[in-house]
């Protein structure tokens, strides 16, 4: 009898030993490093982006701080703020966890021993999490780059906030084919949901799209064109793998710091740089933002200059560039003729009148007998610059396509090349001074 019992005892001992060993090797977050922050208490006193109310949380790494903020009462976003109180400048939101999925008062942010970081609403509903339970996470850190990371025992990042951009890329942050390959604009300062604009890293270019309720497909209004096609650094035979925003000091001259896209391509497998903008001081603390207005801008933070720490370093669709603001779909609101970045006229069936925000195209009925087209010469739609349209079309075919399509607001036709574009939204039209570029806009028959 004693014999089997001792076998039982020793195997139990073995089992216990095994369990103890495996618990030791299975990484856990030390209890002293776990935390729970509750969204409660007084709001901060300083001016932050979107005129938001905010509460700071403990994680801070100059000039970044984790916060809850809200622009409308009781709809909070967990976000990283950039800028310090000492800089006496606007503090901006450069990363967020839960766009479009706000939490309320008394929501909690919990980092548990299992290594998962969870944002839960006050009723316990999980609004956002890193999904890193039992994946070897031993610690949480907010790095001086603005990257919030969960790391394992060897310092590898199991999760990082840099992998989930929304509308902003900080220096060091990337877009990736097969990962997050786009930025999406914010709807408005007050409303933190996805807006209509996106910047997408496509296989051969960066592209910006405008999505509207009326249009079946997002409309292209800008591309990087030849950026990734200069000299040998070309994507002709391959495609973009990733693109990282970097800050590169000019070592020759010493006084310039470039904001550079570092990008990798597949064929030939290689990495390249493209300088996008520069400043005359260390611009490591910079970001690229796809704005509420659909424009793309670089901002740099320099904590040495109190009161005006921020500099708008570069605007992609800039009024002083060839491109100009007329390429912005909503530059002239619902409808307007744009020239040299200004809204200069409101097209009407009776000719051009002065532009105001009320300028609008009205199609009240779908029946072909209820509307007619009026014509504008030397006018393009914002989607025309970067799209080819349908070539070799007769104008009458282009027109009948629009007539049959209830949602078509008008069509655009280039007599050279017989190119046709159907427009589901008019918005900003550009004066191009080329009488072969024609616009036909639907208007109700009187
Ligand atoms: C938040 O929780 C505290 C403590 O449980 C409670 O007193 C307070 O009323 C709650 N606030 C809201 C807005 O629910
Ligand atoms: C692309 O491939 C073609 C055919 O293999 C080759 O002739 C050309 O040099 C390649 N271009 C680049 C930029 O690698
Ligand atoms: C980008 O892709 C290259 C090539 O695959 C890789 O070596 C590099 O680590 C990637 N960079 C980032 C930031 O993902
Ligand atoms: C620029 O600033 C960053 C931190 O703000 C620092 O790590 C880096 O060394 C600086 N670069 C140069 C060239 O001084
Ligand atoms: C007008 O546009 C067409 C392309 O649609 C182009 O071929 C032509 O050169 C332009 N004419 C002028 C005067 O710019």
């Amino acid at each position: 009898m004693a014999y089997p019992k001792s076998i039982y005892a020793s195997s139990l001992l073995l089992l216990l030993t095994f369990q103890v060993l495996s618990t030791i090797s299975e990484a856990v977050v030390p209890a002293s490093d776990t935390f729970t922050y509750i969204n409660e208490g007084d709001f901060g006193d300083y001016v932050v982006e979107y005129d938001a109310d905010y509460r700071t949380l403990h994680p801070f790494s100059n000039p970044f701080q984790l916060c809850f903020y809200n622009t409308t009462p009781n709809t909070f976003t967990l976000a990283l703020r950039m800028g310090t109180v000492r800089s006496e400048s606007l503090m901006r939101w450069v990363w967020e966890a839960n766009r479009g999925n706000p939490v309320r008062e008394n929501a909690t942010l919990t980092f548990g021993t299992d290594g998962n970081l969870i944002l839960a609403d006050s009723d316990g509903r999980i609004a956002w999490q890193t999904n890193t339970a039992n994946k070897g996470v031993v610690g949480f850190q907010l790095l001086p780059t603005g990257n919030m990371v969960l790391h394992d025992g060897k310092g590898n990042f199991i999760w990082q906030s840099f992998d989930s951009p929304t509308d902003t890329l900080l220096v060091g942050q990337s877009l990736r084919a097969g990962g997050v390959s786009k930025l999406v604009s914010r709807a408005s300062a007050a409303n933190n949901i996805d807006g209509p604009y996106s910047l997408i890293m496509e296989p051969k270019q960066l592209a910006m799209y405008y999505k509207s309720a009326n249009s079946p497909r997002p409309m292209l209004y800008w591309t990087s064109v030849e950026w990734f096609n200069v000299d040998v650094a070309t994507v002709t035979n391959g495609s973009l793998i990733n693109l990282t925003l970097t800050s590169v000091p000019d070592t020759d001259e010493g006084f310039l710091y470039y904001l550079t896209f570092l990008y990798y391509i597949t064929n030939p497998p290689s990495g390249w740089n493209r300088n996008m903008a520069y400043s005359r001081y260390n611009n490591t603390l910079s970001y690229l933002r796809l704005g509420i207005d659909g424009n793309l801008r670089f901002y740099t933070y320099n904590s040495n200059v109190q009161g005006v720490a921020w500099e708008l370093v570069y605007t992609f669709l800039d009024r002083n560039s060839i491109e100009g603001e007329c390429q912005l779909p909503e530059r002239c609101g619902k409808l307007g003729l744009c020239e040299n970045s200004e809204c200069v006229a409101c097209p009407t069936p009776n000719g051009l009148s002065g532009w105001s925000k009320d300028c609008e195209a009205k199609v009240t009925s779908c029946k072909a007998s209820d509307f007619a087209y009026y014509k504008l010469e030397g006018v393009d739609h914002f989607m025309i610059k970067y799209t080819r349209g349908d070539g070799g079309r007769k104008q009458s075919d282009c027109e009948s396509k629009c007539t049959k399509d209830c949602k078509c607001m008008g069509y655009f036709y280039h007599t050279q090349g017989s190119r046709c574009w159907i427009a589901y939204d008019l918005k900003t039209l550009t004066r191009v001074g080329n009488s072969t570029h024609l616009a036909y806009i639907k208007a109700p028959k009187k």
Side-chain angles (χ1 to χ4, degrees), residues 99 166-168 182-186 194-199 290:
R99 173 187 280 180
T166 44
D167 56 10
T168 303
K182 66 177 178 180
L183 301 180
V184 178
S185 69
R186 178 187 174 102
D194 282 351
Y197 300 101
S198 53
L199 168 75
L290 178 61

Side-chain angles (χ1 to χ4, degrees), residues 62 80 100 106 113 134 145 147 166 170 178 192 226 229 271-272 304 313 342 351 357 384 389 406 420 439 442:
N62 189 10
L80 278 175
N106 284 342
T113 49
N134 307 314
T145 53
N147 194 7
T166 44
L170 286 162
N192 188 18
E226 87 299 356
N229 265 316
W272 305 91
N304 297 328
V313 179
E342 302 289 344
K357 283 197 170 75
I384 287 179
C406 200
C420 165
K442 275 184 188 174

Side-chain angles (χ1 to χ4, degrees), residues 324-328 331-332 335-345 347 355 378-380 427-432:
E325 291 175 9
C326 293
Q327 240 351 85
L328 293 170
R331 174 67 182 83
C332 296
L335 179 63
L337 194 55
C338 188
E339 187 173 20
N340 296 330
S341 297
E342 302 289 344
C343 305
V344 294
W355 184 82
V379 167
D380 270 344
K427 310 266 169 173
T428 304
L429 311 182
T430 307
R431 186 175 264 161
V432 289

